[in-house]
Amino acid sequence: MLIYGTEISSRLLLGTAQYPSPKVLKDAISASHCDIITVSLRRESSAGSGAGFWDRLRDLNVQILPNTAGCHTAGEAITTAHMAREIFGTTWIKLEVIGHSDTLQPDVFGLVEAAQELTREGFQVFPYTTDDLVVGEKLIAAGCEVLMPWGAPIGSGQGLRNPDALRSMRAHFPELPLIVDAGIGRPSDAARAMELGCDAVLLNTAVAKAGDPAVMAQAMAQAVEAGRRGYLADPMPKRDMAVPSTPVFGIAELA
């Protein structure tokens, strides 16, 4: 998978919030074999862990994708992206502009506005968006080379609430990397997203809040790989009636 000119081997991306300890986080990342992890500057700064937490992330030898979680305006998101560039020395930014406090649904108007400004400044933007085709087109016009449609509200574990919309996005943007972001609760959800033709899955809570995060991280990685292989294998279509696997012709008739 190629994103902004960078080859990514793993199609599973992990968040770093809500883990019970740094060791559990490290074990989960190791078990997942992921290449990219996300981190929220606003969340970690407010928690007081700050530079110590970020230094531990750097030691994990994975690509860090800072995000603007907790931002509710384009201005907040742009300022946070500037901070991320200074701290991590990267132009990658997962762009979140939240429009609804309960559902954490993106404010697509603020999202497009922020994406336009950040790409103009040289950032490589990973926008957390809805599964709307028109919004997707506007983000691409703003300079985004990847889309991150939600599967369900962040942290809900509801899986894919609108698989038809994701299928439509795949058909409408056949060459663009699509990363399902948010809502994945179980390995079967991750596999389903990949079977629809999405290129990767980003999740956090499903692993961080599992009874055994490392085991769940491994399960998610295996599900993503299985789903991808299933998609590439071109699955058989669903049928309205049963079709016998053994031919009926040539069967002996016993009197």
Side-chain angles (χ1 to χ4, degrees):
M1 178 174 61
L2 194 66
I3 301 180
Y4 287 115
T6 299
E7 185 67 34
I8 307 300
S9 61
S10 174
R11 295 177 183 272
L12 175 64
L13 291 69
L14 283 185
T16 55
Q18 305 184 68
Y19 286 85
S21 71
K23 181 182 184 306
V24 173
L25 169 61
K26 182 178 179 180
D27 290 345
I29 292 172
S30 177
S32 74
H33 298 290
C34 68
D35 294 329
I36 300 174
I37 59 174
T38 66
V39 58
S40 167
L41 273 70
R42 290 173 64 93
R43 180 185 298 115
E44 296 307 327
S45 295
S46 64
S49 48
F53 177 79
W54 298 329
D55 287 340
R56 287 193 293 270
L57 293 181
R58 291 190 184 94
D59 293 338
L60 295 175
N61 197 32
V62 292
Q63 177 76 40
I64 294 177
L65 174 60
N67 70 46
T68 62
C71 294
H72 291 263
T73 67
E76 287 180 341
I78 291 168
T79 298
T80 302
H82 291 163
M83 293 170 55
R85 183 169 56 185
E86 292 299 318
I87 293 172
F88 293 110
T90 180
T91 56
W92 279 20
I93 191 72
K94 181 193 168 191
L95 181 60
E96 297 184 27
V97 182
I98 300 302
H100 194 276
S101 298
D102 291 335
T103 65
L104 301 182
Q105 180 171 329
D107 172 357
V108 296
F109 304 101
L111 183 67
V112 172
E113 178 186 346
Q116 288 174 332
E117 175 60 23
L118 290 173
T119 54
R120 187 187 66 80
E121 295 181 14
F123 283 88
Q124 295 170 310
V125 178
F126 294 65
Y128 164 61
T129 183
T130 61
D131 48 26
D132 186 280
L133 298 180
V134 176
V135 176
E137 288 179 338
K138 291 186 180 299
L139 288 167
I140 294 169
C144 298
E145 297 181 14
V146 58
L147 295 177
M148 304 183 74
W150 67 345
I154 294 172
S156 68
Q158 295 179 12
L160 306 182
R161 295 207 304 185
N162 195 351
D164 288 338
L166 294 175
R167 189 181 291 109
S168 294
M169 291 194 81
R170 176 73 292 164
H172 196 70
F173 307 111
E175 304 299 328
L176 194 79
L178 295 179
I179 303 175
V180 172
D181 180 13
I184 299 296
R186 291 168 174 76
S188 56
D189 300 330
R192 178 59 174 151
M194 301 302 292
E195 288 174 351
L196 292 173
C198 297
D199 296 282
V201 168
L202 169 58
L203 55 89
N204 185 164
T205 309
V207 170
K209 292 300 185 180
D212 190 326
V215 171
M216 182 59 78
Q218 183 180 43
M220 289 293 187
Q222 292 170 338
V224 166
E225 180 65 23
R228 179 63 178 176
R229 289 178 180 271
Y231 171 72
L232 294 177
D234 191 14
M236 63 172 285
K238 292 184 178 180
R239 297 163 172 163
D240 294 331
M241 298 180 65
V243 177
S245 57
T246 302
V248 295
F249 296 105
I251 298 178
E253 295 185 10
L254 303 177

